[in-house]
Amino acid sequence: MKRFLNILFAIVAIVLLSPLMIAVSLVLMIQGGESPIYSSIRVGKNWKKFRIYKFRTMHKGADKKLTDLQSMNSYIRVEGDEIEITRTFSSDAYLYADNYKVREDIYLSERHKCFEGCFIKIENDPRITKLGRFLRKSSLDELPQLFNILKGDMALVGNRPLSIEEAELLTNNTDGLRFKASAGLTGLWQTDDRKDDMPPSERIRLDNLYAEKESLSFDFKLILASFKKIITGNNE
């Protein structure tokens, strides 16, 4: 039933919103001189990889500028301040930060490559264009994901579509529970008032909670909460 409702929703939404999506695409092409659609590989339900689509919200070459902006990444401070080493270097030892844990040898070997690059949150990110900020705040940047829903990559409600790097960290049975649920256009994290100040450990907890509570009635509540955030403008 959920899949049928998602297909129906995606078709109706694409038809009704196609003029708006065409208009946004034209403006982005005129301003940026490149494809208005940004795509990247994400991991969804049952660890399935798929290509997610969004309207482009960053300046050209934004990915190349990320290294220079790592000192502005809020998540470096969050994880760095809370990590506690429990024993000497070992593949059987774990590091803990609130409800989040990671194998010690993985953390030490991937610290600079992944932990300081997977979780990105930069206040007033200079890579985002003025139009991009509006698209993000209004959630219009996510409209191309309607095609992901139509294809079956995602659902209207579900968990955050993770990057491959972040998904590879969630390999134990507890953290991996979130992959039993579909990737979603909206969900528990997106509707949480603490969204902008939420550490990765709390995002994982909410993803696992959704996987446990997933149902049509719960999805309906999250849809109403999502519309409320969009209408009030509290959705960035």
Side-chain angles (χ1 to χ4, degrees), residues 3-232:
R3 176 60 184 146
F4 170 76
L5 293 175
N6 275 276
I7 292 175
L8 181 62
F9 169 83
I11 292 175
V12 172
I14 289 172
V15 171
L16 294 178
L17 297 173
S18 57
L20 176 60
M21 288 192 282
I22 292 172
V24 172
S25 297
L26 290 175
V27 174
L28 288 173
M29 289 176 66
I30 293 172
Q31 288 191 351
E34 56 184 335
S35 171
I37 302 297
Y38 170 81
S39 68
S40 62
I41 301 298
R42 299 295 175 90
V43 181
K45 185 175 183 178
N46 297 325
W47 299 85
K48 179 184 177 182
K49 297 177 183 179
F50 66 95
R51 186 170 292 277
I52 196 172
Y53 304 112
K54 286 188 174 185
F55 279 128
R56 192 177 297 277
T57 59
M58 292 188 174
H59 292 288
K60 188 175 182 179
D63 291 342
K64 297 179 181 179
K65 299 177 182 178
L66 191 56
T67 302
D68 298 332
L69 298 174
Q70 283 295 345
S71 61
M72 299 171 64
N73 185 3
S74 301
Y75 284 158
I76 296 177
R77 294 190 295 276
V78 170
E79 293 301 334
D81 290 343
E82 296 176 355
I83 286 289
E84 177 182 355
I85 299 179
T86 57
R87 57 176 77 104
T88 57
F89 177 86
S90 169
S91 60
D92 296 323
Y94 284 84
L95 306 181
Y96 295 87
D98 288 339
N99 297 324
Y100 180 83
K101 71 176 181 178
V102 63
R103 242 175 51 199
E104 184 181 7
D105 60 334
I106 295 178
Y107 174 77
L108 293 176
S109 64
E110 301 291 321
R111 180 172 181 172
H112 296 291
K113 183 174 70 175
C114 190
F115 275 78
E116 296 184 359
C118 289
F119 308 117
I120 304 297
K121 179 187 174 185
I122 299 174
E123 298 292 342
N124 300 317
D125 194 332
R127 299 173 301 158
I128 304 175
T129 64
K130 290 183 179 180
L131 176 59
R133 292 189 187 283
F134 169 74
L135 293 176
R136 289 189 177 196
K137 189 174 183 60
S138 60
S139 295
L140 293 177
D141 66 312
E142 298 180 349
L143 287 182
Q145 291 173 39
L146 291 170
F147 293 96
N148 285 119
I149 294 175
L150 192 60
K151 289 170 57 182
D153 298 328
M154 297 173 59
L156 175 58
V157 181
N159 279 332
R160 299 168 299 122
L162 298 185
S163 66
I164 295 176
E165 292 84 358
E166 188 175 356
E168 286 177 344
L169 300 177
L170 309 182
T171 56
N172 62 59
N173 291 335
T174 301
D175 294 341
L177 175 64
R178 50 105 58 222
F179 292 106
K180 290 185 177 181
S182 301
L185 186 63
T186 189
L188 265 178
W189 172 69
Q190 292 91 332
T191 58
D192 196 296
D193 291 335
R194 302 165 298 163
K195 171 183 173 182
D196 291 338
D197 299 308
M198 190 180 295
S201 57
E202 181 63 10
R203 292 189 181 196
I204 295 169
R205 188 190 71 81
L206 290 180
D207 289 347
N208 288 338
L209 179 62
Y210 176 78
E212 294 175 345
K213 297 180 64 175
E214 182 177 15
S215 66
L216 289 178
S217 60
F218 191 45
D219 285 358
F220 184 69
K221 292 179 181 179
L222 292 177
I223 291 172
L224 292 179
S226 298
F227 276 120
K228 181 180 178 180
K229 290 183 75 69
I230 293 173
I231 293 172
T232 58

